Amino acid sequence: MQLEVRDLSKVYPLKRGLLPITFSVSKGELIAVVGHNGAGKSTLLKLLANAIVPDSGQVSIEGIPLARRAEIVKLVGYVPETPNLYDSFSVEYNLRLFSRLFGCESRKIVEMLTEFDLLAFRRTPVLNLSKGLKQRVNIARSLLSDPSILLLDEPTSGLDFDMTNEMYRLIRRVNEQGKTILFTSHRPEEVKSLATRILVVHQGTLVFDGTNDAYYSSGFHEKLYV
């Protein structure tokens, strides 16, 4: 298995967070993590991205423990719901800054600008971009180190219909290139369109793990959207 999660948990002082959770992921899967607000979805992605420290449990990615941060940071790309870019800097300068952190070659920046149709915006300050373009830059940034796993937290939040469909195409393309993707979503049509497997988190606990067919015949999807 590419990703192994065993009894991973994170509990906050004033809310439930994530109770011990266990699952594994094979290379190339496209997995939706769904659940009500506050269920623990974003906490799970932050834990896998090493953005926060777990209270207990173990995670290994390609056999490497999560605690070995210097190695893990190059294996996992993380895109939070709110783009974490430097708004006053240009698109290209943002990518250049992060490429230094990842130890990437300069050619990787041009590759990302080309791959994500950002060449026309390379000198544009991030604050002047639409949210859809910011998301493109954010995903390009997360892929600079050529990670094998990409984590997307609500990747289409706040996007209009056209930009949402463009994001779907982008996610499929990245997955077809061999990347394993886990994404959180509140949109049932998004889950149905993209996911090959679905994890349902409820009150910090993993209550369902299965295929689309199993999910839609289980009734969980009806409970989530009422």
Side-chain angles (χ1 to χ4, degrees), residues 22-75:
T22 296
F23 64 94
S24 58
V25 176
S26 298
K27 182 174 176 57
E29 290 195 84
L30 182 46
I31 299 174
V33 183
V34 302
H36 291 294
N37 286 333
K41 307 183 301 299
S42 294
T43 295
L44 173 60
L45 263 58
K46 288 177 183 176
L47 287 167
L48 298 180
N50 249 333
I52 56 175
V53 178
D55 292 330
S56 64
Q58 288 122 14
V59 176
S60 65
I61 298 171
E62 297 181 4
I64 300 172
L66 200 63
R68 284 157 59 179
R69 296 177 65 91
E71 296 170 77
I72 290 295
V73 73
K74 294 186 177 182
L75 295 176

Side-chain angles (χ1 to χ4, degrees), residues 41-42 45-46 48-51 76-85 102 116 131-144 147 149-157 159 167 170-171 174 181-185:
K41 307 183 301 299
S42 294
L45 263 58
K46 288 177 183 176
L48 298 180
N50 249 333
V76 179
Y78 172 54
V79 180
E81 181 176 355
T82 302
N84 58 344
L85 301 165
F102 295 138
F116 291 93
K131 183 166 185 184
L133 283 171
K134 286 179 182 178
Q135 276 293 67
R136 252 197 268 169
V137 178
N138 223 16
I139 293 175
R141 174 200 60 78
S142 71
L143 293 174
L144 279 168
I149 296 177
L150 182 61
L151 308 173
L152 305 171
D153 196 359
E154 300 286 345
T156 62
S157 175
L159 301 186
M167 191 58 59
L170 191 155
I171 290 170
V174 171
I181 298 176
L182 282 79
F183 70 97
T184 65
S185 179

Side-chain angles (χ1 to χ4, degrees), residues 2-216:
Q2 184 181 31
L3 170 65
E4 294 277 0
V5 178
R6 292 288 175 267
D7 297 321
L8 185 67
S9 73
K10 178 69 176 182
V11 180
Y12 302 101
L14 299 177
K15 59 180 181 178
R16 187 182 299 271
L18 193 72
L19 301 178
I21 188 171
T22 296
F23 64 94
S24 58
V25 176
S26 298
K27 182 174 176 57
E29 290 195 84
L30 182 46
I31 299 174
V33 183
V34 302
H36 291 294
N37 286 333
K41 307 183 301 299
S42 294
T43 295
L44 173 60
L45 263 58
K46 288 177 183 176
L47 287 167
L48 298 180
N50 249 333
I52 56 175
V53 178
D55 292 330
S56 64
Q58 288 122 14
V59 176
S60 65
I61 298 171
E62 297 181 4
I64 300 172
L66 200 63
R68 284 157 59 179
R69 296 177 65 91
E71 296 170 77
I72 290 295
V73 73
K74 294 186 177 182
L75 295 176
V76 179
Y78 172 54
V79 180
E81 181 176 355
T82 302
N84 58 344
L85 301 165
Y86 294 99
D87 282 353
S88 298
F89 296 153
S90 70
V91 169
E92 183 172 2
Y93 193 67
N94 265 275
L95 295 184
R96 195 168 299 283
L97 282 174
F98 285 102
S99 72
R100 290 172 185 167
L101 291 175
F102 295 138
C104 304
E105 298 179 10
S106 295
R107 63 174 178 79
K108 195 67 179 178
I109 297 169
V110 178
E111 287 179 12
M112 289 295 101
L113 289 170
T114 304
E115 174 76 13
F116 291 93
D117 297 322
L118 292 167
L119 282 170
F121 306 97
R122 66 191 304 171
R123 293 184 175 84
T124 304
V126 167
L127 60 85
N128 292 337
L129 300 178
S130 66
K131 183 166 185 184
L133 283 171
K134 286 179 182 178
Q135 276 293 67
R136 252 197 268 169
V137 178
N138 223 16
I139 293 175
R141 174 200 60 78
S142 71
L143 293 174
L144 279 168
S145 64
D146 195 24
S148 56
I149 296 177
L150 182 61
L151 308 173
L152 305 171
D153 196 359
E154 300 286 345
T156 62
S157 175
L159 301 186
D160 62 23
F161 178 80
D162 290 336
M163 290 304 299
T164 293
N165 284 328
E166 180 183 335
M167 191 58 59
Y168 289 176
R169 288 191 291 272
L170 191 155
I171 290 170
R172 290 192 191 99
R173 189 172 80 221
V174 171
N175 180 242
E176 287 166 0
Q177 291 170 352
K179 308 291 185 190
T180 301
I181 298 176
L182 282 79
F183 70 97
T184 65
S185 179
H186 283 99
R187 297 182 171 187
E189 73 281 0
E190 183 167 288
V191 173
K192 193 167 189 176
S193 173
L194 294 174
T196 57
R197 176 180 166 195
I198 298 168
L199 306 180
V200 179
V201 181
H202 179 67
Q203 295 183 350
T205 301
L206 182 63
V207 296
F208 177 88
D209 177 359
T211 64
N212 281 26
D213 288 344
Y215 171 68
Y216 286 106

